[in-house]
């Protein structure tokens, strides 16, 4: 018996179509498609009619090209492997004025999207003026040069409702877009919205060509006020009860006094999954599901956990950590960790991986 990570393809596909809702989507497939598997995810998105992808790694971008020969592929991290970009027709972010100045000649023939830094401060041009400086310099440059095909930003606060920062970054960005278009500049692609922004706005911003969506496509709600039926989780993570042990009050269980039994005849299920399989310590502060009942995790080890159970649980019973009832996003809202953090932690080298 080994713990299993399993995705229901039909539910995955249903969710993608529900989120897509007929809108033009750029699917974010970075980090092995949020750990759902790059090949699987790209194939599912293509089947749903999505043919635009973004990632942060050039290796993943090349793999997407092999899977989707005619897709638009956008690399969100700048690379200096310009030949790779040209050879595989991969668009790339232009992350700063200094990058442009340093690589102006070498970028010839590369398709770039000008990035606006905004409140995240991770990458991008600092100001409207910096963007215009590049556009003007580009216009008068007669030498072989890059192709400016896009304009983009990333919001750092779209999932936040209690502070005004999303409004701030949103209006700064929309002003930039409006001003550039009013100045006569045009772009084949303009994209900004992640899942939270796309869903809370209920539409794609004016003049934008795509919403750049990740987590919602993978079945997790970006914020808690969304109904569960709006976004469907296709992922199940299940382990097994290897044996049930009985301990007495005061006995310490697990490494370094991890758990001390409070009552005599405490029944502890030894379960074959642990932090080595990607179960976060914060997740272990919450229940699991065995035979339709909830039971508390008492100690987390590398390949095992103790779950305190009652007389209804026996060896070989199935222990559910995540499914459509114990959703990744529920635990996000309980403070376990970001949706993507929980997903990425799951160790697909140690868990059985199955698409059913
Ligand atoms: C630049 C960029 N765009 C889009 C996304 C997608 O965000 P989400 O998964 O919240 O939809 C991410 C994810 O972190 C990102 O880094």
């Amino acid at each position: 018996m080994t713990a299993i990570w399993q995705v229901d393809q039909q539910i995955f596909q249903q969710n993608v179509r529900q989120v897509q809702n007929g809108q033009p989507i750029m699917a974010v497939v970075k980090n092995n498609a949020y750990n759902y598997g790059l090949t699987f995810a790209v194939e599912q998105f293509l089947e749903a009619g999505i043919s635009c992808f973004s990632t942060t790694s050039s290796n993943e971008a090349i793999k997407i090209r092999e899977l989707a020969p005619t897709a638009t592929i956008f690399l969100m991290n700048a690379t200096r492997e310009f030949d790779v970009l040209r050879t595989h027709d991969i668009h790339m972010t232009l992350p700063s004025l200094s990058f442009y100045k340093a690589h102006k000649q070498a970028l010839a023939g590369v398709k770039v999207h000008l990035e606006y830094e905004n409140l995240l401060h991770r990458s991008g041009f600092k100001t409207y003026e910096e963007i215009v400086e590049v556009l003007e310099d580009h216009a008068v440059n007669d030498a072989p040069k890059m192709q400016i095909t896009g304009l983009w930003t990333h919001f750092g606060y779209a999932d936040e409702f209690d502070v005004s920062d999303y409004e701030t970054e949103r209006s700064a960005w929309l002003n930039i877009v409006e001003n550039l278009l009013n100045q006569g500049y045009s772009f084949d692609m303009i994209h900004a919205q992640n899942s939270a922004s796309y869903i809370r706005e209920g539409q794609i911003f004016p003049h934008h060509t795509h919403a750049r969506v990740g987590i919602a496509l993978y079945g997790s709600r970006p914020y808690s006020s969304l109904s569960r039926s709006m976004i469907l989780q296709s992922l199940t993570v299940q382990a097994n009860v290897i044996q049930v042990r009985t301990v007495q009050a005061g006995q310490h269980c697990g490494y370094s006094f991890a758990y001390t039994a409070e009552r005599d005849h405490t029944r502890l299920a030894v379960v074959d999954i642990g932090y080595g399989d990607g179960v976060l310590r914060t997740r272990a502060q919450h229940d699991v599901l065995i035979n339709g009942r909830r039971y508390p995790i008492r100690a987390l080890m590398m390949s095992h956990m103790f779950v305190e159970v009652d007389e209804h649980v026996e060896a070989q019973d199935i222990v559910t950590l995540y499914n459509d009832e114990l959703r990744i996003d529920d635990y996000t809202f309980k403070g376990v960790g970001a949706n993507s953090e929980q997903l990425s932690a799951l160790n697909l080298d140690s868990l059985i991986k199955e698409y059913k």
Side-chain angles (χ1 to χ4, degrees):
M1 286 190 296
T2 307
I4 183 167
W5 174 104
Q6 188 181 64
V7 170
D8 184 318
Q9 303 196 43
Q10 216 181 323
I11 295 175
F12 189 94
Q13 183 64 215
Q14 189 186 337
N15 179 63
V16 170
R17 288 172 192 263
Q18 220 167 281
V19 171
Q20 184 189 14
N21 194 24
Q23 301 292 308
I25 300 290
M26 180 190 290
V28 179
V29 292
K30 64 181 185 169
N31 292 91
N32 200 25
Y34 290 49
N35 222 7
Y36 275 78
L38 185 62
T39 303
F40 166 76
V42 168
E43 285 171 353
Q44 290 290 323
F45 295 145
L46 288 171
E47 190 182 324
I50 295 174
S51 58
C52 186
F53 301 96
S54 59
T55 180
T56 44
S57 112
S58 47
N59 284 345
E60 283 191 339
I62 294 168
K63 193 159 170 212
I64 300 165
R65 175 57 72 225
E66 286 162 12
L67 295 164
T70 60
T72 302
I73 303 170
F74 175 58
L75 186 60
M76 302 188 283
N77 278 350
T79 173
R80 287 157 187 80
E81 301 168 282
F82 303 123
D83 278 337
V84 168
L85 300 174
R86 284 184 284 258
T87 304
H88 299 280
D89 190 19
I90 295 164
H91 300 221
M92 181 190 79
T93 184
L94 191 66
S96 65
L97 193 55
S98 57
F99 189 95
Y100 173 65
K101 288 180 177 165
H103 303 290
K104 194 167 143 180
Q105 278 84 34
L107 279 163
V110 173
K111 294 174 178 164
V112 300
H113 297 199
L114 308 187
E115 179 177 1
Y116 175 54
E117 174 177 315
N118 224 331
L119 297 191
L120 187 60
H121 301 296
R122 191 166 67 187
S123 180
F125 291 85
K126 295 240 167 239
T127 60
Y128 173 78
E129 288 71 26
E130 282 194 358
I131 296 177
V132 170
E133 186 178 334
V134 171
L135 288 165
E136 286 179 349
D137 185 65
H138 186 73
V140 299
N141 181 7
D142 289 332
K145 56 187 177 183
M146 64 188 189
Q147 297 174 40
I148 300 177
T149 53
L151 179 68
W152 76 297
T153 195
H154 184 44
F155 296 131
Y157 297 90
D159 327 31
E160 305 285 344
F161 287 79
D162 300 336
V163 290
S164 59
D165 299 70
Y166 174 61
E167 291 310 320
T168 307
E169 62 186 354
R170 175 188 189 278
S171 71
W173 166 247
L174 292 177
N175 275 337
I176 297 257
V177 174
E178 204 67 43
N179 288 341
L180 289 171
L181 298 182
N182 286 341
Q183 290 303 308
Y185 294 112
S186 65
F187 303 89
D188 294 345
M189 296 175 68
I190 304 180
H191 47 100
Q193 293 165 276
N194 62 355
S195 299
S197 169
Y198 168 62
I199 294 171
R200 72 189 275 180
E201 298 288 342
Q203 59 175 8
I204 296 190
F205 286 140
H207 313 300
H208 286 56
T209 57
H210 296 82
R212 207 178 51 254
V213 177
I215 196 65
L217 292 172
Y218 299 101
S220 297
R221 290 167 295 166
Y223 54 89
S224 61
S225 57
L226 293 175
S227 78
R228 293 163 74 88
S229 60
M230 199 172 159
I231 295 179
L232 310 173
Q233 180 172 313
S234 59
L235 175 69
T236 299
V237 175
Q238 286 179 326
N240 310 280
V241 176
I242 307 175
Q243 45 178 313
V244 178
R245 321 272 314 171
T246 302
V247 292
Q248 306 306 325
Q251 287 188 319
H252 308 298
C253 315
Y255 296 109
S256 305
F257 314 104
Y259 174 65
T260 306
E262 287 173 8
R263 286 175 292 105
D264 283 342
H265 312 295
T266 296
R267 298 187 89 228
L268 290 179
V270 183
V271 178
D272 61 352
I273 193 168
Y275 59 76
D277 304 293
V279 178
L280 298 178
R281 285 213 166 267
T282 43
R283 170 64 188 86
Q285 290 163 10
H286 300 275
D287 296 348
V288 295
L289 203 56
I290 309 175
N291 303 329
R293 292 185 172 85
R294 303 269 189 134
Y295 297 99
I297 300 171
R298 292 303 188 199
L300 183 68
M301 293 156 273
M302 186 174 180
S303 329
H304 303 95
M305 57 171 62
F306 282 131
V307 176
E308 186 174 348
V309 296
D310 56 20
E311 68 283 4
H312 299 290
V313 174
E314 297 297 340
Q316 299 192 23
D317 283 347
I318 290 174
V319 181
T320 303
L321 280 105
Y322 290 115
N323 68 358
D324 57 354
E325 184 183 336
L326 307 184
R327 289 176 53 142
I328 297 274
D329 50 23
D330 289 329
Y331 292 109
T332 298
F333 308 141
K334 286 176 180 166
V336 165
N339 288 316
S340 52
E341 193 178 341
Q342 293 176 71
L343 289 170
S344 323
L346 295 169
N347 182 355
L348 302 185
D349 287 329
S350 66
L351 297 166
I352 292 176
K353 182 180 176 186
E354 192 175 285
Y355 300 101
K356 70 165 188 186

Short mmCIF file of all heavy atoms in Angstrom, two decimals, residues 240-270:
data_model
loop_
_atom_site.label_atom_id
_atom_site.label_comp_id
_atom_site.label_asym_id
_atom_site.label_seq_id
_atom_site.Cartn_x
_atom_site.Cartn_y
_atom_site.Cartn_z
N ASN A 240 -3.25 5.18 3.68
CA ASN A 240 -3.83 3.94 4.23
C ASN A 240 -3.48 3.80 5.71
O ASN A 240 -2.38 4.18 6.13
CB ASN A 240 -3.25 2.72 3.51
CG ASN A 240 -3.33 2.89 2.00
OD1 ASN A 240 -4.38 2.68 1.41
ND2 ASN A 240 -2.23 3.30 1.38
N VAL A 241 -4.40 3.20 6.44
CA VAL A 241 -4.09 2.83 7.82
C VAL A 241 -3.26 1.55 7.75
O VAL A 241 -3.72 0.53 7.23
CB VAL A 241 -5.37 2.57 8.65
CG1 VAL A 241 -5.01 2.10 10.06
CG2 VAL A 241 -6.23 3.84 8.70
N ILE A 242 -2.02 1.62 8.24
CA ILE A 242 -1.17 0.43 8.21
C ILE A 242 -1.52 -0.48 9.38
O ILE A 242 -1.60 -1.68 9.26
CB ILE A 242 0.33 0.82 8.31
CG1 ILE A 242 0.71 1.85 7.26
CG2 ILE A 242 1.20 -0.40 8.20
CD1 ILE A 242 2.14 2.34 7.43
N GLN A 243 -1.67 0.13 10.55
CA GLN A 243 -2.11 -0.62 11.72
C GLN A 243 -2.72 0.36 12.71
O GLN A 243 -2.53 1.57 12.60
CB GLN A 243 -0.97 -1.40 12.36
CG GLN A 243 0.32 -0.65 12.53
CD GLN A 243 1.38 -1.50 13.24
OE1 GLN A 243 1.10 -2.13 14.27
NE2 GLN A 243 2.59 -1.50 12.70
N VAL A 244 -3.47 -0.20 13.67
CA VAL A 244 -4.01 0.65 14.74
C VAL A 244 -3.36 0.20 16.04
O VAL A 244 -3.36 -0.98 16.37
CB VAL A 244 -5.55 0.52 14.83
CG1 VAL A 244 -6.07 1.38 15.99
CG2 VAL A 244 -6.21 0.94 13.52
N ARG A 245 -2.76 1.15 16.76
CA ARG A 245 -2.07 0.86 18.02
C ARG A 245 -2.87 1.45 19.18
O ARG A 245 -3.53 2.48 19.00
CB ARG A 245 -0.68 1.52 18.06
CG ARG A 245 0.08 1.50 16.77
CD ARG A 245 0.90 0.28 16.58
NE ARG A 245 1.67 -0.08 17.73
CZ ARG A 245 2.34 -1.25 17.80
NH1 ARG A 245 2.30 -2.09 16.77
NH2 ARG A 245 3.04 -1.56 18.87
N THR A 246 -2.77 0.80 20.32
CA THR A 246 -3.45 1.37 21.50
C THR A 246 -2.37 1.83 22.48
O THR A 246 -1.42 1.10 22.74
CB THR A 246 -4.35 0.31 22.16
OG1 THR A 246 -5.28 -0.14 21.17
CG2 THR A 246 -5.11 0.89 23.33
N VAL A 247 -2.51 3.06 22.98
CA VAL A 247 -1.55 3.58 23.96
C VAL A 247 -2.31 4.06 25.20
O VAL A 247 -3.52 4.29 25.15
CB VAL A 247 -0.68 4.72 23.36
CG1 VAL A 247 0.25 4.19 22.28
CG2 VAL A 247 -1.55 5.85 22.83
N GLN A 248 -1.56 4.23 26.27
CA GLN A 248 -2.19 4.60 27.55
C GLN A 248 -1.89 6.06 27.89
O GLN A 248 -0.96 6.67 27.36
CB GLN A 248 -1.65 3.69 28.68
CG GLN A 248 -1.79 2.20 28.40
CD GLN A 248 -3.22 1.80 28.04
OE1 GLN A 248 -4.21 2.34 28.56
NE2 GLN A 248 -3.35 0.85 27.12
N ALA A 249 -2.70 6.60 28.78
CA ALA A 249 -2.56 8.01 29.18
C ALA A 249 -1.13 8.29 29.60
O ALA A 249 -0.51 7.50 30.33
CB ALA A 249 -3.51 8.33 30.33
N GLY A 250 -0.55 9.38 29.11
CA GLY A 250 0.80 9.77 29.50
C GLY A 250 1.88 9.21 28.59
O GLY A 250 3.03 9.66 28.65
N GLN A 251 1.56 8.25 27.75
CA GLN A 251 2.59 7.71 26.84
C GLN A 251 2.83 8.69 25.69
O GLN A 251 1.88 9.25 25.13
CB GLN A 251 2.16 6.34 26.29
CG GLN A 251 2.26 5.25 27.36
CD GLN A 251 2.05 3.85 26.79
OE1 GLN A 251 1.18 3.64 25.96
NE2 GLN A 251 2.84 2.90 27.29
N HIS A 252 4.14 8.87 25.41
CA HIS A 252 4.50 9.79 24.33
C HIS A 252 4.58 9.02 23.02
O HIS A 252 5.14 7.93 22.98
CB HIS A 252 5.86 10.45 24.62
CG HIS A 252 5.94 11.05 25.98
ND1 HIS A 252 5.12 12.08 26.36
CD2 HIS A 252 6.73 10.77 27.05
CE1 HIS A 252 5.41 12.42 27.61
NE2 HIS A 252 6.38 11.63 28.05
N CYS A 253 4.08 9.60 21.97
CA CYS A 253 4.06 8.92 20.68
C CYS A 253 4.70 9.81 19.62
O CYS A 253 4.53 11.03 19.66
CB CYS A 253 2.62 8.65 20.24
SG CYS A 253 1.62 7.99 21.57
N GLY A 254 5.41 9.19 18.69
CA GLY A 254 6.09 9.97 17.66
C GLY A 254 7.42 10.46 18.21
O GLY A 254 7.75 10.24 19.38
N TYR A 255 8.20 11.12 17.34
CA TYR A 255 9.53 11.59 17.74
C TYR A 255 9.42 12.74 18.74
O TYR A 255 8.56 13.60 18.61
CB TYR A 255 10.29 12.09 16.51
CG TYR A 255 10.57 11.00 15.50
CD1 TYR A 255 9.91 10.97 14.29
CD2 TYR A 255 11.49 10.00 15.78
CE1 TYR A 255 10.16 9.98 13.35
CE2 TYR A 255 11.75 8.98 14.86
CZ TYR A 255 11.08 8.99 13.65
OH TYR A 255 11.33 8.00 12.75
N SER A 256 10.32 12.71 19.71
CA SER A 256 10.49 13.84 20.63
C SER A 256 9.17 14.32 21.25
O SER A 256 8.82 15.49 21.17
CB SER A 256 11.16 15.01 19.91
OG SER A 256 12.36 14.58 19.33
N PHE A 257 8.46 13.40 21.82
CA PHE A 257 7.21 13.72 22.55
C PHE A 257 6.19 14.41 21.65
O PHE A 257 5.46 15.31 22.08
CB PHE A 257 7.50 14.66 23.74
CG PHE A 257 8.67 14.27 24.58
CD1 PHE A 257 9.88 14.94 24.50
CD2 PHE A 257 8.55 13.21 25.48
CE1 PHE A 257 10.95 14.57 25.28
CE2 PHE A 257 9.63 12.83 26.29
CZ PHE A 257 10.85 13.51 26.17
N ALA A 258 6.13 14.02 20.38
CA ALA A 258 5.24 14.72 19.44
C ALA A 258 3.81 14.75 19.95
O ALA A 258 3.12 15.76 19.84
CB ALA A 258 5.31 14.07 18.07
N TYR A 259 3.37 13.64 20.51
CA TYR A 259 2.00 13.61 21.03
C TYR A 259 1.98 12.79 22.31
O TYR A 259 2.61 11.74 22.40
CB TYR A 259 1.04 12.98 20.01
CG TYR A 259 -0.36 12.79 20.56
CD1 TYR A 259 -1.14 13.90 20.91
CD2 TYR A 259 -0.88 11.52 20.78
CE1 TYR A 259 -2.41 13.74 21.45
CE2 TYR A 259 -2.17 11.35 21.31
CZ TYR A 259 -2.91 12.46 21.64
OH TYR A 259 -4.16 12.30 22.18
N THR A 260 1.28 13.26 23.31
CA THR A 260 1.14 12.52 24.56
C THR A 260 -0.33 12.13 24.73
O THR A 260 -1.21 13.01 24.71
CB THR A 260 1.60 13.39 25.76
OG1 THR A 260 2.93 13.84 25.49
CG2 THR A 260 1.58 12.59 27.05
N ALA A 261 -0.56 10.85 24.85
CA ALA A 261 -1.96 10.38 24.95
C ALA A 261 -2.60 10.94 26.22
O ALA A 261 -1.97 10.99 27.28
CB ALA A 261 -1.98 8.85 24.98
N GLU A 262 -3.83 11.35 26.10
CA GLU A 262 -4.53 11.94 27.25
C GLU A 262 -5.36 10.91 28.00
O GLU A 262 -5.66 11.08 29.17
CB GLU A 262 -5.44 13.08 26.77
CG GLU A 262 -4.63 14.30 26.37
CD GLU A 262 -5.47 15.39 25.73
OE1 GLU A 262 -6.71 15.26 25.72
OE2 GLU A 262 -4.87 16.35 25.24
N ARG A 263 -5.73 9.83 27.29
CA ARG A 263 -6.62 8.84 27.92
C ARG A 263 -6.04 7.44 27.75
O ARG A 263 -5.31 7.18 26.79
CB ARG A 263 -8.00 8.88 27.24
CG ARG A 263 -8.83 10.09 27.59
CD ARG A 263 -10.11 10.12 26.79
NE ARG A 263 -9.89 10.36 25.37
CZ ARG A 263 -9.96 9.44 24.42
NH1 ARG A 263 -10.23 8.19 24.69
NH2 ARG A 263 -9.74 9.76 23.16
N ASP A 264 -6.39 6.57 28.66
CA ASP A 264 -6.07 5.16 28.46
C ASP A 264 -6.83 4.64 27.25
O ASP A 264 -7.90 5.17 26.91
CB ASP A 264 -6.48 4.34 29.70
CG ASP A 264 -5.47 4.54 30.84
OD1 ASP A 264 -4.34 5.00 30.55
OD2 ASP A 264 -5.83 4.28 32.00
N HIS A 265 -6.28 3.62 26.65
CA HIS A 265 -6.93 2.98 25.48
C HIS A 265 -7.13 3.94 24.31
O HIS A 265 -8.10 3.83 23.57
CB HIS A 265 -8.28 2.33 25.87
CG HIS A 265 -8.19 1.50 27.10
ND1 HIS A 265 -7.43 0.35 27.17
CD2 HIS A 265 -8.74 1.66 28.33
CE1 HIS A 265 -7.51 -0.15 28.39
NE2 HIS A 265 -8.30 0.62 29.11
N THR A 266 -6.21 4.89 24.19
CA THR A 266 -6.29 5.79 23.02
C THR A 266 -5.90 4.98 21.79
O THR A 266 -4.85 4.32 21.78
CB THR A 266 -5.30 6.98 23.20
OG1 THR A 266 -5.73 7.73 24.32
CG2 THR A 266 -5.26 7.85 21.96
N ARG A 267 -6.71 5.03 20.79
CA ARG A 267 -6.42 4.28 19.54
C ARG A 267 -5.75 5.22 18.55
O ARG A 267 -6.31 6.27 18.20
CB ARG A 267 -7.69 3.71 18.94
CG ARG A 267 -8.39 2.71 19.84
CD ARG A 267 -9.55 2.06 19.12
NE ARG A 267 -9.15 0.86 18.40
CZ ARG A 267 -9.47 0.58 17.14
NH1 ARG A 267 -10.19 1.42 16.43
NH2 ARG A 267 -9.07 -0.54 16.58
N LEU A 268 -4.57 4.86 18.11
CA LEU A 268 -3.83 5.67 17.13
C LEU A 268 -3.67 4.88 15.83
O LEU A 268 -3.09 3.79 15.84
CB LEU A 268 -2.46 6.05 17.66
CG LEU A 268 -2.41 7.06 18.82
CD1 LEU A 268 -0.96 7.30 19.23
CD2 LEU A 268 -3.07 8.38 18.44
N ALA A 269 -4.19 5.42 14.75
CA ALA A 269 -3.97 4.80 13.44
C ALA A 269 -2.62 5.26 12.92
O ALA A 269 -2.32 6.46 12.94
CB ALA A 269 -5.08 5.20 12.48
N VAL A 270 -1.79 4.32 12.49
CA VAL A 270 -0.51 4.65 11.86
C VAL A 270 -0.78 4.70 10.36
O VAL A 270 -1.22 3.70 9.77
CB VAL A 270 0.56 3.58 12.17
CG1 VAL A 270 1.89 3.98 11.56
CG2 VAL A 270 0.67 3.38 13.67
#
